[in-house]
Amino acid sequence: IEMVTRKRALELQRECRRAGESAAEAGACLAECLAQHDQGRVEESIAAARHAEELFDRAGRPLGRARAFAAIAEIRLGAGAGYEIARKAAQRARKLFAQAGPAEELNALRMQLAECQAQIYALAERPVHIRTPALWAETLSSAQNAEEVARGLNDFRSAGAALSLATQVHMATERHQAAARTAAAAVDLYRDCDVPQDLARALVLGAGAALALGRRKEAKRLATEALDLAKKAQDTGVEGLASDALERVARLAPEVSGSDAKADEAEAEAEEAYQAPERLDEILSQVMALDAFFGPFVETPLMIPGAVGPVQPLSTDALLAVG
């Protein structure tokens, strides 16, 4: 859509309305949506996108509807509010793009990533007692599927985004070993893609996982690199997250030891202490996912060190017998 001023977009809408051209009027509404968003008017831009979707629907233009829903999802996500609205809009856009065939595969993937991110944010806002394991498992499965689709399309930046989403799910469900692995995989992909801002965000995620595992030096290294990248990119949001991670590293530093050797020993002990509970936690989460969906919960090879293919699913009885 050509970038136009809000005034010109409104003029175009009136001209198209007089001519009875619903599809053209809808396009002008999307132009207004972008113009309103550029001026920081979130609700007005959402309203314009909704009007565009209605007009595209009336004109029988499903691809136009998909673009309108995509605009709603991305604006809501960017605004940091209305995550359930964003999730539903992204879901509808994804389905419409998918129906359009191979030409819209990348847009369908983009909406799958947006839907997954919105779901993570929505779940994080809920009270703890209704953050059900089934919903987290469903979100993780969506992220894993998005990674697979992205790799099939040779879209490795999107594959990195999917791995970052999986990392967020693992952190939210306290599966810190898995989070460290997926964050590291995302970092590797982003390095190859040469996207410093995305790389900085993945490094921050990795630092958070390392902190949760007691790996102070690793967390400091990752957060320091993220901070440097964020400053160069002038990304104040990621810069703040990286600075916060470094502050948490400083708070975890041994206060009395005065010895790097003792600090290293304490860090190694902390990491070892996490290993056994983390593995049990992963087994239990698989049990809960099986009970919720009456089917297997399969992790991608990147989630399991040394795996060369999908982990063979176990029955609920077999998982309960472990130990």
Side-chain angles (χ1 to χ4, degrees):
I1 297 172
E2 182 183 355
M3 292 301 295
V4 298
T5 64
R6 176 174 174 270
K7 180 179 179 181
R8 179 56 183 150
L10 292 172
E11 289 173 354
L12 287 170
Q13 287 177 53
R14 286 192 291 270
E15 291 171 11
C16 294
R17 193 177 305 121
R18 283 195 295 268
E21 295 288 344
S22 295
E25 184 184 352
C29 284
L30 277 186
E32 181 198 352
C33 167
L34 296 177
Q36 296 276 23
H37 184 257
D38 285 345
Q39 294 176 11
R41 297 171 176 168
V42 173
E43 296 306 322
E44 290 84 350
S45 64
I46 293 289
R50 289 193 184 284
H51 188 206
E53 188 278 322
E54 292 171 358
L55 290 169
F56 278 128
D57 188 26
R58 188 185 306 165
R61 300 291 184 89
L63 198 53
R65 293 183 65 210
R67 290 176 178 143
F69 281 128
I72 293 169
E74 291 178 337
I75 290 169
R76 279 294 180 203
L77 277 172
Y83 295 127
E84 189 58 27
I85 293 172
R87 185 192 67 78
K88 290 178 179 178
Q91 183 183 70
R92 297 184 76 174
R94 172 179 58 80
K95 291 179 178 179
L96 287 166
F97 280 130
Q99 290 168 9
E104 298 296 331
E105 281 181 325
L106 287 175
N107 280 328
L109 173 60
R110 179 167 58 95
M111 285 300 100
Q112 184 173 355
L113 294 170
E115 181 183 353
C116 189
Q117 184 67 83
Q119 176 78 307
I120 290 170
Y121 288 155
L123 285 172
E125 286 185 336
R126 294 184 179 189
V128 174
H129 68 280
I130 57 172
R131 294 182 195 174
T132 65
L135 287 174
W136 284 116
E138 179 184 319
T139 307
L140 179 60
S141 178
S142 178
Q144 291 171 342
N145 176 259
E147 181 201 347
E148 181 180 350
V149 170
R151 289 181 182 276
L153 295 171
N154 292 321
D155 184 355
F156 297 109
R157 184 177 182 181
S158 291
L163 284 162
S164 294
L165 291 168
T167 302
Q168 292 176 52
V169 176
H170 288 315
M171 288 297 292
T173 53
E174 299 184 351
R175 300 177 68 222
H176 302 128
Q177 291 285 353
R181 292 192 290 271
T182 49
V187 165
D188 289 343
L189 283 176
Y190 285 143
R191 287 195 198 282
D192 291 341
C193 294
D194 192 24
V195 279
Q197 285 178 282
D198 292 344
L199 174 58
R201 293 186 182 94
L203 287 165
V204 168
L205 288 171
L211 274 171
L213 291 166
R215 301 174 185 168
R216 184 174 54 86
K217 286 187 176 181
E218 180 184 345
K220 183 177 181 180
R221 174 180 60 80
L222 295 171
T224 299
E225 184 181 356
L227 183 61
D228 291 341
L229 288 168
K231 285 181 176 179
K232 289 177 184 177
Q234 297 183 330
D235 190 329
T236 55
V238 178
E239 186 177 338
L241 293 172
S243 297
D244 180 63
L246 286 171
E247 288 177 8
R248 285 184 286 150
V249 169
R251 290 197 295 270
L252 284 177
E255 297 178 359
V256 187
S257 68
S259 164
D260 287 340
K262 288 184 178 179
D264 291 341
E265 183 180 347
E267 185 170 323
E269 289 176 356
E271 182 176 343
E272 183 179 352
Y274 270 99
Q275 299 287 339
E278 182 88 9
R279 181 58 188 146
L280 178 58
D281 211 31
E282 293 183 7
I283 292 171
L284 290 174
S285 70
Q286 291 191 25
V287 173
M288 288 186 286
L290 282 162
D291 288 340
F293 295 113
F294 303 102
F297 179 81
V298 183
E299 295 203 45
T300 64
L302 287 171
M303 309 281 180
I304 305 295
V308 294
V311 178
Q312 291 300 312
L314 299 176
S315 67
T316 303
D317 290 341
L319 283 169
L320 289 172
V322 173

